[in-house]
Amino acid sequence: MKDKDYKEVLEKISTPIAVIISKEESTAKKARSKSDFENNFSIHFVNESFEKIYGDLVKVGDTSEECVEKLSKEVDWYKMASDCMETGQQQMETFYSTHANAWLRVHMNSTKSGFIILAVVNVDKDKEREQQLLRQNLRLAALTDELSSSREELEKRLESITFLNEQLEFHAYHDAMTGLSNRQKLKMDFDEWYKSAEENSERFGMILLDLDNLKMINDSQGHSAGDEVICHTAEILKRFQNENLKVYRYEGDEFIVMMKGINSQDTILNAGDMLLEVMNDEGIDFSGGIAICPDDGDNSDDILKYADMAMYEAKRKGKNDICFFKAIMRERFMEKVSIQSKLSRAVMNERFQLYYQPQFDVATNKLRGFEALLRWYDDEIGWINPEQFIPIAEETKLVIPLGEWILETAISTLKEWIEKYDFDGIMSVNVSPVQLKKPSFIFDLKDLIKKHSIPTHNLEIEITEGVFIDNKNEVIGLLNQIRDMGIGLSLDDFGTGYSSLSYLQLLPITTLKIDKSFIANITDKSGVEANITDSIISMVTKMGLDTIAEGVEKNEQLDILKKINCKNIQGFLKGKPMPKERCEQILGGDYELADHL
């Protein structure tokens, strides 16, 4: 499984999820005692939905014993976990948690690799409905005792009771906002359809629809505007309902379309494409995921989970599209969980290395400086690509301690090179948007500079356009503080996000890095990429900014960059990322550089 899917599959899933794992692999694969369970199992991950809904009810690092204290002592968690892992079947318990002050239902699943995955659902509303029905039954009993005065009175009371029961049943199985069937009705209908499909050797499928960019609408126009989009979507979906196609509001901005009579994948895909076309015509975009029963699973939980994975794959590919679930998605999910587990241990044990890639002045061939790049070697997997583990580190906030180690190491190396080699170049350090949002970031940075006594003009903080997504004004204020310290600011990957040249005037940056996607095809000075890059460099230079072309690998690219007056280059043509010792050979003059510019 590719790790970049993990965010979409686990972190963004609306159901609160917690992952439990054994501290000792052998413990997870054999029969365990209750003591083993309490001592050797702990929480290794909770997703963002869990934290938002339940706070610290269960948090990373909690032991099984601590979890039992917070959840419920009335549940035999040891037996539940043992049954789950021995049989491979889902276990479920409903209980009242005094810590959460709510009725909770826990769905427990296990994996072959020893993970126990908990999905925690608040069922207060279900309990409230039970109480409502109980109170209604009591009222009905009382009314029955009174139905003796007259036939007319009896008929009126019966009519009232019938209407009340119909209302209660409707509200129990329908969404109040849209009038669509709700998730309780979905479960009932799924079980009914599954029984029929099993008896008749038929298939039916599920499309999970998630509206694209609803958060942007809520933030810019208010939640009432977002509610209007949800209701409009529901009205569109109602038009397609018939005996073979049912529609449900699952939760938030997610809808379910369940369809039977599927002869092939094209049958349900055509229905999904028709929905997408109609929605788009009315100004609504959505991403959809399809899972088919029994091909992909034989229960509603699995089909929903797999449809959700497929939906996030559609979002990853650019949104406003529909994808089928594939087994590789499940494998990627488990691979991502494995990487996350290894990442936690690696951060704790400092199993990372910093490599440094040189940057050169195009005109003089002088060394401008180095960009510090993170590398991770795992004894079992080998070298792990940063594109795999950095997104996980950001999702889990592990990027904060990791980023602090990177800054400390890079600044310490810079100080050493200044003293040993009279180095007066730039040390460029990447800072994650998550790390930058830490309230104490500026104070920590000042402490590091004071601790190592480095000249601030030799340090450059490298950021991406992602830092501006949430609160642009606040981030610009923070960047101004960094510039006031005399530290350079470099904007990486320019041209791949949403920024423009006019937007750059608002930012206190000193250097613009042109993304390698522009440089890759620069082999002809009259080509489109060359013309775009020439325009960018020309305007940026007039703004007083430095420029660095990334990914320069060919002499033809270098020749054109010279002609369009690009200030600096970085890439395999002049130097790959290398360990500190090899950089020191360059600084000491003992290492033969690549061909001179």
Side-chain angles (χ1 to χ4, degrees), residues 414-463:
L414 173 60
K415 175 65 174 179
E416 185 178 342
W417 288 352
I418 290 173
E419 292 180 344
K420 289 177 62 176
Y421 303 103
D422 199 24
F423 177 65
D424 192 30
I426 300 296
M427 176 67 77
S428 184
V429 185
N430 292 275
V431 174
S432 161
V434 178
Q435 183 184 359
L436 202 63
K437 291 176 186 176
K438 184 183 177 184
S440 64
F441 177 80
I442 288 292
F443 302 103
D444 296 341
L445 181 60
K446 288 180 177 178
D447 287 344
L448 279 175
I449 291 171
K450 183 178 180 181
K451 174 182 176 182
H452 294 282
S453 300
I454 61 163
T456 54
H457 72 269
N458 293 114
L459 181 63
E460 182 177 73
I461 298 297
E462 192 163 312
I463 58 174

Side-chain angles (χ1 to χ4, degrees), residues 309-337:
M309 289 181 183
M311 180 271 291
Y312 278 111
E313 178 68 10
K315 284 191 178 292
R316 186 187 69 81
K317 289 182 176 180
K319 300 183 179 181
N320 201 37
D321 198 3
I322 299 175
C323 286
F324 277 100
F325 167 76
K326 296 179 182 179
I328 188 68
M329 297 177 186
R330 181 174 54 236
E331 295 169 12
R332 288 172 184 166
F333 171 78
M334 295 313 302
E335 182 181 320
K336 213 162 195 178
V337 172

